[in-house]
Amino acid sequence: MTPVFQIVTPAYNSAAFIDETIQSVVFQAGDFRIRYHVQDGGSRDETLAKLERWSALLQAGALPLLNAGVEFTFASEKDAGMYDAINHGFAHLGGAAGDYMTYINSDDRLLPGALQFAVTVFDAQPETAWLGGRPCEMNERGELMRIHGEQIYPRASLQAGLHDGRSLRFVMQEGTFWRASLWHKCGGFRTTLRQAGDWDLWRRFATEAPYVTTDMVLAAHRRREAQLTADMTTYYREVDETIASEIAGLHPAELQRYRDWASSSESDRDQRFYGPILRFHVATFHGGSGEWQPEMRPYQAPLKTTVAVTNGFTRPMLPAEFTTGFGPACDAEYPLNLLPGYHVTTAADCTLIFQAQTDGLHRLFIRCRIFDPGVRIQLSNATRTILNAEPPVTSHDRDITLIAESVFTAGPNQITLSLKGANPDKMPIVVVVSAEALATV
């Protein structure tokens, strides 16, 4: 029986990019059929005209398809948000429990070979219920900008909702595929959520099956201004409300387990925070034949803290907890000499928490990279300013280290990092490579 993909694109005023998205879906090559539905929220630009054109071309058989067939439909009606639109789209498609599913936003793209890869894996591994690849980002012009490293998502941390971008890294949706039976068992998206629906769906998927990733790229996410997730306030409010109502005990307990696991030596770690990843094993060197085989790999633990050696004494530095105003811990950028765990500022005021062991004076070391001229950085402990400086632009050429001193009390101490750019209309870009403190006595 020919495999069938159910694919939905939610759209609203998407004329600028919808052609690229549709093209990336309907011209997928392989032995499968595609049932593709675009659920529009009542666009007022040229989106509907473009959908009409695609519908006419596909119905007339005027396109040179490279698969077993495409059934294209669309509808335009008011909805309660993106997740409501996606639910309506999959409800329209119906489909059998044996179908495969994904959704792709109206400014993103599937990459060539993505659907055939999913068919190959699902067919060869009946136990695999959902899978994805390396996240990939492109700019507004569609130029590929960044391919992330391999992703590992342990089932325990997914179930506990830790992959929210604060505790552990996000699951990027583009290029994630699942069996329709998993979707129906978990009930689809919750339409009460406006931005955290993916995060919520992934944690519910994880209660049924592990997330299998692969060391390849399946889709590209377009980064542009005015995106729905540009302001993360709503997202994190929804995450926190869901945690409080459904996994209030599980989330903090699992986070502590992860921290204990990450801080232990590799030889002492169990496989609780391991996840499955597929790698292609070539059977013959010249023929190129082979198969995808799963293996269990550990989640990438953060770097251990720096050790300071002074006058013969060895003491561990205190690493900062990045709380508000920072993006999630980023993957390694080896070409730019950035190891895992660096953060990018997302707000003019950011906060760091240092857990001091004793009362007394501490010296802070904050390694940064500055990408805009005229940026003024201020560090404050409560109302006291401990540093006020205008560092030079470093870009990715080198790091600078901000050094300041502050009196800490035993326990948590909050340091505010405030940014002010030369251009009041532009948020300065600052990468914080690391932030640590050291007791001076």
Side-chain angles (χ1 to χ4, degrees), residues 15-283:
F17 306 111
I18 191 71
D19 283 338
E20 292 182 53
T21 302
I22 295 175
Q23 184 181 57
S24 78
V25 173
V26 301
F27 289 126
Q28 288 282 314
D31 184 21
F32 48 78
R33 293 191 299 113
I34 300 173
R35 301 188 63 218
Y36 185 27
H37 180 82
V38 178
Q39 185 68 29
D40 179 76
S43 293
R44 298 181 180 181
D45 62 359
E46 296 300 311
T47 299
L48 295 180
K50 290 176 178 287
L51 296 179
E52 290 278 8
R53 180 172 175 270
W54 278 102
S55 179
L57 288 171
L58 287 163
Q59 287 185 19
L63 299 176
L65 300 181
L66 302 173
N67 49 61
V70 176
E71 176 189 326
F72 179 81
T73 57
F74 71 92
S76 182
E77 58 188 353
K78 188 174 181 179
D79 55 52
M82 179 180 72
Y83 300 119
D84 183 46
I86 296 170
N87 281 353
H88 274 84
F90 283 126
H92 172 86
L93 291 175
D99 290 352
Y100 309 135
M101 301 175 72
T102 191
Y103 84 88
I104 183 80
N105 284 322
S106 59
D107 53 358
D108 298 332
R109 291 199 303 243
L110 290 181
L111 295 185
L115 297 190
Q116 184 56 56
F117 164 80
V119 166
T120 299
V121 173
F122 283 136
D123 181 60
Q125 301 177 18
E127 71 282 1
T128 297
W130 58 312
L131 58 90
R134 287 190 179 196
C136 173
E137 298 171 46
M138 59 185 174
N139 62 18
E140 197 153 353
R141 297 186 299 273
E143 301 166 340
L144 298 185
M145 300 186 303
R146 178 188 182 196
I147 297 175
H148 294 240
E150 64 181 30
Q151 306 294 294
I152 302 295
Y153 297 109
R155 189 173 179 182
S157 53
L158 281 169
Q159 286 181 270
L162 299 189
H163 293 273
D164 58 7
R166 293 177 303 190
S167 302
L168 300 179
R169 60 173 171 260
F170 295 104
V171 176
M172 293 184 71
Q173 167 271 325
E174 301 77 26
T176 296
F177 303 92
W178 58 87
R179 297 182 188 271
S181 56
L182 182 62
W183 170 268
H184 295 306
K185 184 177 293 186
C186 293
F189 285 114
R190 289 181 174 168
T191 57
T192 54
L193 301 176
R194 303 285 291 188
Q195 292 190 16
D198 290 354
W199 167 84
D200 176 68
L201 184 67
W202 306 148
R203 72 175 187 83
R204 288 186 284 122
F205 273 10
T207 64
E208 302 294 333
Y211 183 28
V212 179
T213 59
T214 182
D215 188 21
M216 68 176 294
V217 182
L218 301 175
H221 169 67
R222 193 185 304 266
R223 292 286 189 186
R224 59 189 179 87
E225 295 183 2
Q227 285 180 306
L228 183 63
T229 54
D231 178 7
M232 301 297 290
T233 304
T234 300
Y235 168 84
Y236 284 122
R237 176 179 55 78
E238 293 177 352
V239 167
D240 291 339
E241 289 174 352
T242 304
I243 290 172
S245 64
E246 299 194 21
I247 49 175
L250 176 62
H251 184 276
E254 200 63 43
L255 180 57
Q256 187 57 53
R257 289 192 190 99
Y258 169 73
R259 288 173 174 169
D260 293 342
W261 179 88
S263 63
S264 63
S265 65
E266 292 186 12
S267 61
D268 292 335
R269 292 176 185 166
D270 59 21
Q271 291 207 345
R272 185 175 187 85
F273 295 103
Y274 278 57
I277 184 169
L278 296 173
R279 294 188 180 280
F280 192 77
H281 292 260
V282 178

Side-chain angles (χ1 to χ4, degrees), residues 338-357:
L338 283 170
L339 294 174
Y342 69 92
H343 289 71
V344 180
T345 57
T346 59
D349 291 313
C350 310
T351 55
L352 300 164
I353 301 293
F354 294 91
Q355 297 284 347
Q357 303 300 313

